[in-house]
Amino acid sequence: MRTEEAIRLVTAARTDADLFGADEPARRYRELVGALHPDRLGAADPGVRAAAAEALVTVTTRWRTPAPAYTGDVATLHERKEGPPVNASGRGGAPSYHLAKVARHPGDNDLMAREARALRRIAERGDARHLAYVPKLVDSYPARDPSTGVQRQVNELVTVPGLRSLDDVRRAYPDGLDPRDAAWMWRRLLVALGLAHRAGVVHGAVLPRHVLIEPDAHGLVLVDWCFSAEPGGLVPALVPGHEDWYPPEVAAKRQCGPGTDIALAARCMTWLMGDRAPRELRAFADGCQGAALATRPDDAWRLLRELDEVLHRLYGPRTFRPFTLNP
């Protein structure tokens, strides 16, 4: 699709059906974004570039699908079905999902840029075997609201469908999750953290709402990298309502590190299990949550091996336990 054709189509559209059609809206969306993207315009006339920028924000912010939009900490996400089969463990499964994540406030554009940098770094430096544990960044670009002139950052991401947060799990099991079910979630969360830390990224907000699981396949995806930092850097902000979850260095604006994420992950898991957590797992979690960063483990993959030893002593050899959110 040529840029001028895309501009005319967007300008003339009065409904989302006009814009995306009914047969293949995902394909039309890709065509429009591709035709209007700043990288495509090259040395185009300034008037064409301005019109394309206005059309692009219309495409990304008016986009609607039958699936509901999700509201995150700093952005609104819009979802559509596309892509080859995959699941959160990296194996063949359900079709992947493409999400447009649009900053709600221009003051959060810097946090969106942090997410894009973190996901690029993980994709470039991370172990390819484990990349399914984080969303895939497809593109990141500014989009200007033609009516107000406000510019918001858009991150286009790909992940898998059917994911549910640890908040959902806790609501399903208010008296605490069976530790044998929490075990596979903890193990996979440590894999995701090991992937990021080896790539030089600290997530900075490992909270229940950001840890998504795929119940049937026992997959996990760690999302919302807007609060990420490099080891030795500062976590830029605390997620409102979760201030008491963070280890001391975050609120004190001191340097963070892999141990910051490891402490948050341990807190997630003990919270998930509640009173059902056995003494050995509580002791393991306590060892991950020392008051000082230097006293905590800093290698998530080595910690995974230690967790496996604890789990083996408690429950014997690993076996697959079907999991449902409808107990």
Side-chain angles (χ1 to χ4, degrees), residues 121-145:
R121 175 173 287 196
I122 293 171
E124 292 167 359
R125 303 183 183 181
D127 188 326
R129 295 173 299 172
H130 304 308
L131 291 179
Y133 286 87
V134 302
K136 176 184 177 181
L137 180 72
V138 177
D139 203 353
S140 180
Y141 51 87
R144 187 172 66 86
D145 187 327

Side-chain angles (χ1 to χ4, degrees), residues 14 54 87 97-98 159 172 195 200-201 217 222 253 278 300 311:
R14 293 294 176 266
E54 292 186 4
N87 67 27
Y97 270 71
H98 186 117
T159 186
L195 167 72
V201 178
L222 183 57
K253 294 296 181 183
L311 293 171

Side-chain angles (χ1 to χ4, degrees), residues 60-86:
T60 56
T61 60
R62 286 182 55 193
W63 175 27
R64 297 292 183 270
T65 70
Y70 295 93
T71 300
D73 297 315
V74 299
T76 299
L77 292 86
H78 304 275
E79 181 182 65
R80 68 184 167 88
K81 188 175 181 180
E82 82 157 22
V86 68

